[in-house]
Amino acid sequence: MGWKEESVKWPLGKPGGILLTMLLLPGVLAIFVQIPGCNFLPSNEWISKAALPTLAVSVVSAALSFWLILKSSREIVGVRKGFGLIIAPIAGYFFGKHLVIIAVPMLFAFIAGHRVELSFTVVDAHEWGSKKCRSPVQVEGVPMLFDEICRVPENIRRELGPGQRIAVSGRGTSRGVFVESLRRVD
């Protein structure tokens, strides 16, 4: 009458789990920092310089996600496993990209940041926004979810249009900035 319990063995072992957690933590924290409206913008210079490392980390992350689903879900079969094998590499790819493009410069800005001013190009400054991001200004070249500056005063938004340059000031480095203010660059 006893139940036979089988534990699912973690395919990477304990050191692999610790390493994976250390890699996931900055990316997850970067998302949670953005939720309350602490605007962080990675610089366009960083995005272009980090293109090759971003691709490498994204591909490795996608492959690791695929491998983890393949190895750890023996009890999951059929459509659910197939769905996981399709979604996991896509999610892993975007997480790896997010880790290099957003989390790394965010950590640099948080730890070693100072007052900086970076310039960006406006895509849109006249949309209504959402409950999480009121009166946004959307900028060019920054990954989705991190491409908006929230709570920009209406008098500044009125002056902005697509293609115009803005200077964003705040705590950061040449890799990115936590937005405190912005101004139109003539």
Side-chain angles (χ1 to χ4, degrees):
M1 208 149 131
W3 289 17
K4 186 177 178 183
E5 288 187 24
E6 289 185 34
S7 62
V8 176
K9 189 174 180 180
W10 178 247
L12 296 175
K14 191 172 184 176
I18 292 169
L19 179 64
L20 191 61
T21 302
M22 288 174 57
L23 288 173
L24 289 174
L25 193 59
V28 172
L29 288 175
I31 291 170
F32 284 115
V33 165
Q34 198 74 1
I35 289 172
C38 296
N39 293 306
F40 179 81
L41 294 174
S43 71
N44 291 321
E45 178 186 352
W46 169 254
I47 292 170
S48 64
K49 278 184 180 178
L52 191 57
T54 299
L55 180 62
V57 170
S58 298
V59 169
V60 168
S61 178
L64 181 63
S65 300
F66 182 81
W67 183 76
L68 284 173
I69 292 291
L70 196 60
K71 289 289 190 183
S72 67
S73 62
R74 289 191 177 110
E75 67 278 353
I76 300 173
V77 293
V79 174
R80 286 179 55 195
K81 185 170 186 173
F83 186 72
L85 289 172
I86 292 169
I87 296 299
I90 294 169
Y93 177 85
F94 284 108
F95 187 81
K97 181 179 179 178
H98 168 79
L99 183 67
V100 175
I101 296 290
I102 306 294
V104 168
M106 188 181 282
L107 284 174
F108 276 108
F110 186 74
I111 294 169
H114 54 281
R115 184 95 175 140
V116 295
E117 186 173 87
L118 301 175
S119 63
F120 294 91
T121 303
V122 174
V123 172
D124 186 15
H126 301 292
E127 65 180 56
W128 289 95
S130 66
K131 185 177 180 182
K132 294 178 186 172
C133 185
R134 302 270 183 215
S135 59
V137 171
Q138 187 178 13
V139 296
E140 188 177 86
V142 180
M144 190 171 55
L145 301 178
F146 291 88
D147 63 345
E148 291 182 332
I149 303 169
C150 301
R151 294 184 296 281
V152 178
E154 196 59 41
N155 60 339
I156 295 173
R157 288 181 65 202
R158 264 186 253 124
E159 297 176 3
L160 301 175
Q164 289 185 315
R165 302 288 292 168
I166 57 172
V168 177
S169 304
R171 180 180 172 87
T173 65
S174 62
R175 293 174 181 93
V177 61
F178 284 101
V179 180
E180 292 173 8
S181 65
L182 65 91
R183 64 180 175 80
R184 182 177 165 191
V185 178
D186 294 320

